[in-house]
Amino acid sequence: MLFAVVFALLATSTLAAPQLQYSFSPAVGSGSGTAYSITGQGRITAIRVWENSGNLIYGIQFRYGFIWSPAVGHRNGVPTEMELFDGEAIIQVSGKYSHYVQSVIFTTNRGRMLHAGQPSGTSFNMYPTSPEAELCFISGRVHGALTSLGAHWAVVQSPIQSSNSTEA
C-alpha cells in the first residue's frame, strides 16, 4: 500500500513539473581558437552581429530579457541588430562557413530574419528536433573572428498564468 502511495505521488509530481526538451545542432567551422558560449536567463529578446567588411562574422551578442550577454569576438563597427517581438523566438540558424563563419542568418517563428556576412563557403542549416523549441544559446570557438558555431535548442513549458480580471 505504501509503495502505491509513493508511486502515485512521484507520478503526480513528475507530471506537474515543467518539462524540458533539449536538442543540439553540432558546430560547423574549423573550430580553432578559444571556446565560447553565449548564455543567459530567460528567452533571447535581441541579437547583435558584427561583421568585417561583409565577409566574416567577428562578434555576436544576445539579449536575454533586458540584459545583454557579454559579446563574443570583436565589436568593430556598427552591428546588425534585431529586436524580437513578444512571443517571437529564433527557430533556425543558417549560413555559410569555411575556416571561419562567413555568414549567419537567424530566422524567427514570425518569418523575420537577421542576416550578416558574405554568402560564400559551405552551407549549414540548424534547427531544433521539436517544433515547439527555440534557440536558447550558442557555443563554438573564436580566433579573431568566429571559427565555429553550434546551436542549443529547448522547449520549456511555462506555468499556466491565471487572469483575475472582472468585467463591469
Side-chain angles (χ1 to χ4, degrees):
M1 180 68 178
L2 181 60
F3 174 75
V5 171
V6 170
F7 179 76
L9 287 172
L10 285 174
T12 305
S13 67
T14 302
L15 292 174
Q19 300 295 310
L20 175 67
Q21 296 178 11
Y22 174 83
S23 62
F24 169 68
S25 300
V28 297
S30 68
S32 64
T34 305
Y36 72 84
S37 64
I38 300 176
T39 63
Q41 296 284 326
R43 299 179 85 175
I44 296 171
T45 56
I47 309 165
R48 288 180 181 150
V49 179
W50 288 268
E51 58 184 290
N52 179 17
S53 302
N55 61 0
L56 293 178
I57 303 303
Y58 266 75
I60 295 182
Q61 186 177 33
F62 291 155
R63 188 179 72 200
Y64 290 88
F66 297 105
I67 300 171
W68 283 100
S69 70
V72 168
H74 296 286
R75 297 184 296 175
N76 295 343
V78 177
T80 303
E81 187 171 328
M82 179 170 67
E83 187 165 333
L84 277 61
F85 299 125
D86 287 342
E88 190 172 23
I90 300 164
I91 59 167
Q92 182 178 0
V93 180
S94 53
K96 301 266 190 176
Y97 71 95
S98 59
H99 177 72
Y100 291 100
V101 177
Q102 304 287 118
S103 71
V104 67
I105 303 167
F106 292 96
T107 305
T108 74
N109 57 348
R110 293 192 179 182
R112 296 193 316 136
M113 293 183 240
L114 177 142
H115 181 277
Q118 180 64 34
S120 64
T122 304
S123 296
F124 68 89
N125 190 21
M126 302 173 177
Y127 49 88
T129 56
S130 170
E132 295 87 27
E134 63 188 83
L135 184 67
C136 291
F137 68 96
I138 62 171
S139 61
R141 291 184 135 351
V142 62
H143 183 78
L146 273 64
T147 60
S148 69
L149 178 122
H152 302 256
W153 313 90
V155 173
V156 178
Q157 295 176 352
S158 58
I160 299 171
Q161 297 178 359
S162 62
S163 172
N164 291 334
S165 64
T166 57
E167 294 184 32

